[in-house]
Amino acid sequence: MSRPSLKKGLVLALLCAGGVLAALVLATNWGKESFYRTTESGGTSAGPYTVEMSPMGPVHFDRVPRRIVTLDANYNDILASLGQGAKLVATGYRGNFYDGFYNKLGIKAGFDAERLKYLSTGGGGMFDKELLYALHADIHHIDPVQLASSRGWNQTDVDEIAHNVGPFFANRYSRDNSYNGKQPYKYYSLWELSDKVGAVYRQSARIDRLRAVYDDMMRDITAKLPPVEKRPRIGLVFYNGASGRFTPYSLGRGGFGQAQYRDIGARDAFASIERTTYGGEGNPGVLLDAEGLLALDPDVLIMPFAIYPATEATTSRASYDRLLKLKDDPLMRRLTAFRTGRVFPGGTPLQGPVFYLFQIEMAAKQIYPDIFGPYSDDQNYPPDEQMFDRKRVASILSGEED
């Protein structure tokens, strides 16, 4: 079907479905720079509205989106937090799913990993415009700057999809504050980003309530932290079993991807090599060999992405299991973290509000077990060892407080 025929088909489909007003709006606004629209009715909004976020600027909506596409999994967690998970029709990567935190709350995220479509291969392969046309989403939580700069697209492609299918609304580089381009680009905290997405779905109040749970937890944590000089040095590393080398992550680079460690005042074992650590998309950093890691000798080793179930994907529990086997290596077993049994699975940098709460708790128990109780891999803690109000979070996510 040609592109003009596709447009006509969309309008006719809307008319047949009784969406006369939406079809008229579509028919009279093709090609206008500032116009982005959703094509299905629903939600609680009354009339058009606008939400502004970098790098898109103002994005205009006729009504709350009903069909959603994401790329990065942190938007899936934000959607679950907002009660919008059932609207997700496609996401980026099959391996970026973990429902353990929702299970602890006794709720469902709303989406089924087995029934979703996936945009990219495990290696981050490119997807094309035709896939987004076929998915006909009302909104794409994909950063247009990331798309245009790193996936073989250009600005014309991005504009075409935004006008003909649905707008883009995402900010990828706030995850590690790693944007190196020339256009203006603002970074957001996890809560700021979640609030922006909440505004799209007219559910910002849910983010405010979850933020209140976070604030309560952080007041308790901050009051109990030991002096800085008595805190252990944390080595955040990803182990590549094929090469036998380690990707170091510095806690000082910023972004919400590792915010849980900064929140609890973790000392960075890699502060002295910060400039050569992983720096986000396009900057993999300088890998460490066993000797290099031993020279820095963190008190605690934590491996990101290890919450994901073991799969063929490199960012999964399988890579963490390979790391654990190094405790029998003649050189690696000299590491303080192996000698003291302080090697732990880390959370995912792709975190939204729910993951953030749980991953702060994970990090606090892994780093300060004498204060907050020891970490348990199944995370089944009795109520007096839980660090935030799970019942309150479950009630927020289930809509009981709306």
Side-chain angles (χ1 to χ4, degrees):
M1 180 182 290
S2 66
R3 196 70 70 227
S5 297
L6 181 59
K7 294 176 183 176
K8 291 178 182 177
L10 275 170
V11 174
L12 288 172
L14 284 164
L15 285 166
C16 292
V20 178
L21 176 60
L24 288 172
V25 171
L26 278 171
T28 56
N29 283 279
W30 291 118
K32 292 186 179 180
E33 279 288 326
S34 62
F35 188 82
Y36 301 88
R37 82 282 179 271
T38 60
T39 59
E40 298 186 41
S41 62
T44 59
S45 63
Y49 59 100
T50 299
V51 184
E52 183 172 356
M53 185 171 78
S54 175
M56 290 73 53
V59 180
H60 308 297
F61 298 91
D62 289 341
R63 51 186 64 87
V64 172
R66 293 285 300 275
R67 290 178 60 83
I68 304 169
V69 168
T70 66
L71 179 62
D72 292 331
N74 53 297
Y75 289 95
N76 300 343
D77 189 36
I78 296 174
L79 291 173
S81 302
L82 297 170
Q84 307 294 309
K87 298 178 180 179
L88 185 65
V89 296
T91 190
Y93 306 96
R94 184 177 294 274
N96 286 353
F97 274 97
Y98 176 71
D99 58 6
F101 295 145
Y102 305 119
N103 292 340
K104 300 301 179 191
L105 297 172
I107 64 167
K108 300 294 184 182
F111 42 77
D112 183 346
E114 297 303 317
R115 301 182 68 176
L116 291 173
K117 295 187 180 299
Y118 294 90
L119 303 182
S120 296
T121 63
M126 185 183 70
F127 56 90
D128 59 26
K129 292 184 294 184
E130 297 307 318
L131 177 56
L132 297 189
Y133 271 108
L135 291 169
H136 56 90
D138 298 326
I139 189 169
H140 306 94
H141 289 302
I142 304 171
D143 188 325
V145 170
Q146 175 193 18
L147 196 59
S149 66
S150 65
R151 293 182 172 271
W153 289 49
N154 57 42
Q155 190 59 49
T156 300
D157 297 325
V158 170
D159 291 343
E160 177 185 333
I161 293 297
H163 287 124
N164 294 350
V165 185
F168 293 91
F169 194 90
N171 181 300
R172 182 265 177 255
Y173 297 103
S174 287
R175 191 165 82 223
D176 37 39
N177 291 5
S178 61
Y179 177 63
N180 294 316
K182 296 181 180 179
Q183 76 176 67
Y185 198 100
K186 181 179 179 180
Y187 297 136
Y188 298 96
S189 71
L190 182 144
W191 294 113
E192 290 169 337
L193 180 62
S194 299
D195 185 64
K196 293 288 187 180
V197 178
V200 170
Y201 300 97
R202 305 301 226 192
Q203 291 287 351
S204 293
R206 285 198 182 201
I207 301 302
D208 292 340
R209 295 181 187 114
L210 290 169
R211 175 65 187 265
V213 175
Y214 163 84
D215 288 340
D216 287 343
M217 176 168 58
M218 287 310 306
R219 276 191 290 270
D220 183 62
I221 290 174
T222 303
K224 296 176 180 178
L225 288 177
V228 173
E229 64 274 11
K230 293 186 178 181
R231 301 173 192 176
R233 296 166 54 255
I234 310 306
L236 204 61
V237 297
F238 186 84
Y239 177 59
N240 186 320
S243 68
R245 291 176 177 267
F246 304 86
T247 299
Y249 292 75
S250 173
L251 305 182
R253 282 190 174 271
F256 65 77
Q258 314 298 347
Q260 67 269 38
Y261 301 107
R262 293 192 300 274
D263 280 355
I264 63 172
R267 288 177 64 196
D268 187 3
F270 301 138
S272 63
I273 60 165
E274 178 181 325
R275 295 185 63 182
T276 61
T277 58
Y278 175 83
E281 190 172 270
N283 179 15
V286 177
L287 302 184
L288 295 174
D289 58 16
E291 290 84 357
L293 185 58
L294 184 59
L296 294 164
D297 197 21
D299 300 309
V300 180
L301 271 184
I302 298 176
M303 182 167 157
F305 298 104
I307 62 167
Y308 290 134
T311 65
E312 293 180 0
T314 56
T315 51
S316 76
R317 185 74 178 202
S319 295
Y320 173 68
D321 291 339
R322 287 190 283 271
L323 173 65
L324 290 181
K325 292 179 180 179
L326 295 179
K327 69 179 185 298
D328 298 321
D329 179 87
L331 182 60
M332 292 297 294
R333 68 187 181 192
R334 292 165 51 190
L335 278 170
T336 298
F338 274 122
R339 288 191 290 104
T340 59
R342 303 196 69 185
V343 180
F344 298 108
T348 172
L350 300 167
Q351 57 184 338
V354 176
F355 276 52
Y356 192 27
L357 294 172
F358 276 99
Q359 292 185 165
I360 291 171
E361 181 181 75
M362 282 178 64
K365 288 178 174 294
Q366 290 168 348
I367 297 171
Y368 310 111
D370 294 340
I371 300 173
F372 302 110
Y375 170 76
S376 174
D377 209 25
D378 63 14
Q379 300 190 52
N380 287 327
Y381 304 112
D384 62 339
E385 293 183 18
Q386 296 171 5
M387 296 180 62
F388 64 91
D389 188 340
R390 283 158 169 69
K391 290 183 178 180
R392 175 86 197 280
V393 173
S395 71
I396 294 169
L397 268 61
S398 63
E400 294 177 13
E401 300 190 20
D402 289 351

